[in-house]
DNA sequence: GGGCTGACTGACG
DNA sequence: ACGTCAGCCAGCC
């Protein structure tokens, strides 16, 4: 199942992001966002995991808070702007190619 | 098959 | 904007 998740994440273009719910919907799990998060724990090498954010346009990584600054830095290096509350504008960066 | 877990989500106060 | 609560679903004992 996670193979599908990785496949979707790998398709996200530079400078764009997708939400967990979006990925879940793409693989047929309308309300299986948690499953996506669970699959992401394995973080295969070469996967643009930093382009996956929660429905609020923020960074979730509850189990690895140390990687949050890293993810944010990676996204900013791709031209994605964060507001003062640490969220990005999904209406502007969300990838609709699923 | 039963129960627990979680990088989630949407609704409420 | 922030903390809490209850659904949700695949995997792993």
């Amino acid at each position: 199942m996670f193979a599908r998740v990785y496949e979707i994440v790998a398709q996200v273009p530079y400078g764009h992001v997708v939400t967990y719910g979006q990925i879940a919907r793409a693989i047929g799990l309308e309300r299986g966002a948690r499953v996506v998060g669970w699959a992401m724990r394995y973080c295969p090498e070469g996967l643009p995991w930093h382009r996956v954010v929660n429905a609020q346009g923020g960074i979730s990584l509850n189990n690895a808070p140390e990687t949050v600054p890293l993810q944010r830095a990676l996204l900013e290096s791709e031209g994605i702007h964060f507001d003062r509350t640490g969220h990005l504008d999904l209406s502007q960066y969300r990838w609709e190619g699923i």
Side-chain angles (χ1 to χ4, degrees), chain A residues 20 34 37 41 54 58-68 71:
Chain A
Y20 293 92
R34 305 190 69 172
R41 290 181 65 188
N54 63 28
I59 300 174
S60 296
L61 305 183
N62 296 313
N63 198 29
E66 296 178 359
T67 69
V68 174
Q71 176 167 10

Coordinates of all heavy atoms in Angstrom, one line a residue, chain A residues 20 34 37 41 54 58-68 71, chain B residues 6-9:
Chain A
Y20 N -1.7 15.2 3.3 CA -1.9 13.8 3.6 C -3.3 13.3 3.0 O -3.4 12.2 2.4 CB -1.8 13.5 5.1 CG -0.4 13.8 5.7 CD1 -0.1 15.0 6.2 CD2 0.5 12.8 5.7 CE1 1.2 15.3 6.7 CE2 1.8 13.0 6.2 CZ 2.1 14.3 6.7 OH 3.4 14.5 7.2
R34 N -4.3 9.1 8.0 CA -3.4 8.6 9.0 C -2.6 7.4 8.5 O -1.4 7.3 8.9 CB -4.2 8.1 10.2 CG -5.1 9.1 10.8 CD -5.7 8.7 12.1 NE -4.7 8.7 13.1 CZ -5.0 8.6 14.4 NH1 -6.2 8.4 14.8 NH2 -4.0 8.5 15.3
G37 N 0.3 8.9 6.7 CA 1.3 9.4 7.7 C 2.1 8.2 8.2 O 3.3 8.3 8.4
R41 N 6.5 7.2 7.6 CA 7.5 7.0 8.7 C 8.8 6.3 8.1 O 9.9 6.4 8.6 CB 7.0 6.1 9.8 CG 5.9 6.9 10.6 CD 5.4 6.0 11.7 NE 6.5 5.7 12.7 CZ 6.4 4.9 13.7 NH1 5.2 4.2 13.9 NH2 7.3 4.7 14.5
N54 N 0.3 18.9 6.3 CA -1.0 18.6 6.7 C -2.0 19.5 6.1 O -1.6 20.4 5.3 CB -1.1 18.7 8.3 CG -0.8 20.1 8.7 OD1 -1.0 21.1 8.0 ND2 -0.3 20.2 9.9
G58 N 0.6 23.3 7.2 CA 1.7 23.3 8.2 C 2.5 22.0 8.2 O 2.1 21.1 7.5
I59 N 3.5 21.9 9.1 CA 4.3 20.7 9.2 C 3.8 19.9 10.4 O 3.7 20.5 11.5 CB 5.8 21.1 9.3 CG1 6.2 21.9 8.1 CG2 6.6 19.9 9.4 CD1 7.6 22.5 8.2
S60 N 3.6 18.6 10.2 CA 3.1 17.8 11.2 C 4.1 17.1 12.1 O 4.2 17.2 13.3 CB 2.1 16.8 10.7 OG 1.0 17.4 10.1
L61 N 4.9 16.3 11.4 CA 6.0 15.6 12.1 C 6.0 15.6 13.6 O 7.0 15.9 14.2 CB 7.4 16.2 11.6 CG 7.5 16.3 10.1 CD1 8.9 16.9 9.8 CD2 7.4 14.9 9.5
N62 N 4.9 15.2 14.2 CA 4.8 15.1 15.6 C 5.8 14.2 16.3 O 6.2 14.4 17.4 CB 3.4 14.7 16.0 CG 2.3 15.7 15.5 OD1 2.5 16.8 15.7 ND2 1.3 15.2 15.0
N63 N 6.2 13.2 15.6 CA 7.1 12.2 16.2 C 8.5 12.5 15.9 O 9.4 11.9 16.4 CB 6.7 10.8 15.6 CG 7.3 9.7 16.5 OD1 7.5 9.9 17.7 ND2 7.7 8.6 15.9
A64 N 8.8 13.6 15.1 CA 10.2 13.9 14.8 C 10.3 15.4 14.8 O 10.7 16.0 13.7 CB 10.6 13.3 13.5
P65 N 10.0 16.2 15.9 CA 10.0 17.6 15.9 C 11.4 18.2 15.4 O 11.4 19.3 15.0 CB 9.7 17.9 17.4 CG 10.1 16.7 18.1 CD 9.8 15.6 17.2
E66 N 12.4 17.4 15.6 CA 13.8 18.0 15.2 C 13.9 18.2 13.7 O 14.7 18.9 13.2 CB 14.9 17.0 15.6 CG 14.9 16.9 17.2 CD 16.0 15.9 17.6 OE1 16.6 15.3 16.7 OE2 16.1 15.8 18.8
T67 N 13.0 17.5 12.9 CA 13.1 17.5 11.4 C 12.3 18.7 10.9 O 12.3 19.0 9.7 CB 12.7 16.2 10.8 OG1 11.3 16.0 11.0 CG2 13.5 15.1 11.4
V68 N 11.4 19.3 11.7 CA 10.5 20.3 11.3 C 11.3 21.5 10.7 O 11.0 22.0 9.6 CB 9.6 20.8 12.4 CG1 8.8 22.1 12.0 CG2 8.7 19.7 12.9
Q71 N 12.6 20.5 7.2 CA 11.5 20.5 6.2 C 11.2 21.9 5.8 O 11.1 22.2 4.6 CB 10.3 19.8 6.7 CG 9.1 19.8 5.7 CD 8.0 18.9 6.1 OE1 7.9 18.3 7.2 NE2 7.1 18.7 5.2
Chain B
dG6 P 1.5 5.5 18.9 OP1 2.9 5.7 19.3 OP2 0.4 6.1 19.7 O5' 1.4 6.2 17.4 C5' 2.2 5.7 16.4 C4' 1.7 6.3 15.0 O4' 0.5 5.7 14.7 C3' 1.5 7.8 15.1 O3' 2.1 8.5 14.0 C2' 0.0 7.9 15.1 C1' -0.4 6.7 14.4 N9 -1.8 6.2 14.8 C8 -2.4 6.3 16.0 N7 -3.6 5.8 16.0 C5 -3.8 5.3 14.7 C6 -4.9 4.7 14.1 O6 -6.0 4.4 14.7 N1 -4.7 4.4 12.8 C2 -3.5 4.6 12.1 N2 -3.5 4.3 10.8 N3 -2.5 5.2 12.7 C4 -2.7 5.6 13.9
dA7 P 3.3 9.3 14.5 OP1 4.5 8.8 13.9 OP2 3.3 9.5 16.0 O5' 3.0 10.7 13.9 C5' 3.9 11.2 12.9 C4' 3.3 12.3 12.1 O4' 4.4 12.8 11.4 C3' 2.2 11.8 11.1 O3' 1.4 12.9 10.7 C2' 3.1 11.3 10.0 C1' 4.2 12.4 10.0 N9 5.5 11.8 9.5 C8 6.1 10.6 9.8 N7 7.2 10.5 9.2 C5 7.4 11.7 8.5 C6 8.4 12.1 7.7 N6 9.5 11.4 7.4 N1 8.3 13.4 7.2 C2 7.3 14.1 7.5 N3 6.2 13.8 8.2 C4 6.4 12.5 8.7
dC8 P 0.1 13.4 11.5 OP1 -0.1 14.8 11.4 OP2 0.0 12.7 12.9 O5' -1.0 12.7 10.6 C5' -0.9 12.7 9.2 C4' -2.3 12.9 8.6 O4' -3.3 12.1 9.4 C3' -2.8 14.3 8.6 O3' -3.5 14.6 7.4 C2' -3.7 14.4 9.8 C1' -4.3 13.0 9.9 N1 -4.7 12.6 11.2 C2 -6.0 12.3 11.5 O2 -6.8 12.3 10.5 N3 -6.4 12.0 12.7 C4 -5.5 11.9 13.7 N4 -6.0 11.6 14.9 C5 -4.2 12.2 13.5 C6 -3.8 12.6 12.3
dT9 P -4.2 16.1 7.2 OP1 -4.3 16.4 5.8 OP2 -3.4 17.0 8.1 O5' -5.6 16.0 7.8 C5' -6.4 14.9 7.4 C4' -7.9 15.2 7.6 O4' -8.3 14.7 8.9 C3' -8.2 16.7 7.6 O3' -9.5 16.9 7.0 C2' -8.2 17.1 9.1 C1' -8.8 15.8 9.8 N1 -8.3 15.6 11.1 C2 -9.1 14.9 12.0 O2 -10.2 14.6 11.7 N3 -8.6 14.8 13.3 C4 -7.3 15.1 13.7 O4 -7.0 14.9 14.9 C5 -6.5 15.7 12.7 C7 -5.1 16.2 13.1 C6 -7.0 15.9 11.5

